[in-house]
């Protein structure tokens, strides 16, 4: 990997975008990101923190290659599966600008935490394009169709407080505290019942893609995986012993 790094911090896989100067996206960078996610899962991480070491989180696609590297439907489906269906939670920390494809990349994560100085824009329409990686539909999931059309058609930059009010992101924090807060979220998720979290993520993604009926059709399958985990027994045992929730020490299996 040359544009993305991976390191393990306890049970958290820290994945860092590091392509100078502004993490402009191309196929090689997306491939590196998938490789880093895979490495996190394969090394036993129970959550991922995605962040940037550049001035901006990601300033969008590399316009020099965007036409030549435009994905077909088969590649898009594979991309979404690779980045969204990772079986552990992904928290993304956004500072600077998340523009165009950079915002789409953040939307494919489970939870978005932003610095109070960050900015967000679906900027593609300003150069005659539309979001190419599924950003329109993923923004609709978070904020509804009317607001998503506004964001995509006008292409304006928005501050994180507005994005938080609309439900596009989860939390805004002072820039100086972004790394600490995002890592705190990732560590809390990494200490939780990993099998149950995998099921929650699967059901949430199924609901978005196939509706409640699609998720309902897989509920028993997901429940069975959870009941087969050792962590559910740890959770029940701890509750029976103390009479209080959130007292179990989960081990991720």
């Amino acid at each position: 990997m040359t544009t993305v790094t991976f390191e393990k911090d306890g049970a958290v896989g820290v994945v860092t975008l590091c392509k100078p100067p502004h993490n402009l996206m191309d196929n090689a960078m997306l491939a590196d990101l998938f490789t880093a996610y895979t490495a996190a899962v394969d090394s036993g991480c129970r959550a991922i923190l995605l962040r940037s070491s550049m001035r901006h989180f990601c300033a969008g696609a590399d316009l020099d290659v965007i036409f030549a590297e435009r994905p077909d439907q088969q590649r898009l489906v594979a991309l979404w599966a690779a980045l969204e269906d990772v079986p552990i939670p992904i928290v993304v920390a956004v500072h600077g600008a998340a523009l165009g494809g950079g915002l789409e990349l953040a939307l494919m994560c489970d939870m978005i935490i932003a610095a109070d100085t960050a900015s967000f824009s679906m900027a593609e329409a300003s150069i005659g394009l539309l979001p190419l990686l599924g950003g329109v539909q993923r923004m609709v999931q978070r904020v509804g169709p009317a607001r998503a059309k506004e964001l995509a058609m006008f292409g304006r930059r928005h501050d994180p407080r507005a994005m938080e009010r609309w439900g596009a992101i989860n939390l805004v924090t002072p820039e100086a505290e972004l790394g600490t807060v995002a890592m705190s979220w990732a560590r809390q998720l990494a200490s939780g019942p990993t099998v149950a979290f995998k099921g929650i993520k699967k059901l949430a993604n199924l609901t978005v893609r196939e509706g409640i009926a699609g998720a309902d059709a897989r509920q028993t399958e997901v429940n069975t995986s959870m009941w087969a985990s050792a962590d559910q027994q740890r959770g029940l045992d701890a509750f029976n012993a103390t009479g209080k929730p959130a007292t179990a020490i989960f081990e991720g299996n």
Side-chain angles (χ1 to χ4, degrees):
M1 296 181 291
T2 60
T3 63
V4 179
T5 64
F6 161 70
E7 59 182 321
K8 191 173 182 181
D9 186 336
V12 176
V14 181
V15 176
T16 307
L17 307 180
C18 55
K19 181 186 177 186
H22 302 311
N23 289 323
L24 295 181
M25 290 171 53
D26 56 15
N27 286 345
M29 182 176 174
L30 290 171
D32 283 349
L33 183 60
F34 171 63
T35 298
Y37 282 179
T38 302
V41 174
D42 289 348
S43 65
C45 293
R46 293 163 61 188
I48 291 171
L49 172 61
L50 176 63
R51 64 185 186 182
S52 164
S53 64
M54 299 290 105
R55 177 183 177 187
H56 299 292
F57 174 71
C58 176
D62 185 341
L63 297 182
D64 291 336
V65 300
I66 191 172
F67 181 79
E69 294 189 352
R70 65 195 187 279
D72 57 23
Q73 188 62 31
Q74 183 177 2
R75 282 188 53 225
L76 272 175
V77 171
L79 173 68
W80 293 328
L83 300 185
E84 288 185 317
D85 293 339
V86 179
I88 56 178
I90 302 175
V91 177
V92 58
V94 176
H95 73 273
L99 309 178
L103 178 51
E104 291 180 289
L105 184 59
L107 291 172
M108 284 187 266
C109 298
D110 299 304
M111 301 172 197
I112 303 174
I113 300 177
D116 56 0
T117 54
S119 61
F120 298 84
S121 175
M122 303 179 79
E124 290 87 352
S126 66
I127 55 172
L129 302 175
L130 58 81
L132 300 174
L133 301 180
V136 172
Q137 48 270 43
R138 280 157 183 78
M139 190 61 78
V140 169
Q141 292 167 10
R142 292 177 182 250
V143 305
R147 188 70 77 181
K149 290 176 197 175
E150 174 191 342
L151 288 164
M153 291 181 182
F154 284 110
R156 297 169 179 148
R157 288 204 189 196
H158 292 276
D159 69 80
R161 296 292 182 192
M163 299 292 276
E164 184 185 36
R165 287 196 308 272
W166 297 338
I169 66 178
N170 295 80
L171 181 70
V172 179
T173 188
E175 181 177 17
E177 299 175 12
L178 176 64
T180 300
V181 172
M183 179 59 82
S184 174
W185 279 46
R187 284 183 174 144
Q188 182 172 342
L189 291 166
S191 67
T194 305
V195 177
F197 285 170
K198 177 181 178 181
I200 291 168
K201 183 168 179 173
K202 178 179 288 188
L203 290 172
N205 288 348
L206 278 169
T207 303
V208 165
R209 296 167 187 165
E210 302 178 21
I212 290 176
D216 285 349
R218 302 284 294 278
Q219 183 74 59
T220 300
E221 170 194 330
V222 174
N223 290 352
T224 299
S225 297
M226 179 271 298
W227 287 120
S229 71
D231 273 345
Q232 65 81 22
Q233 191 61 54
R234 293 185 185 101
L236 292 176
D237 288 346
F239 182 78
N240 289 332
T242 66
K244 299 177 182 179
T247 56
I249 297 175
F250 296 113
E251 297 182 15
N253 60 345

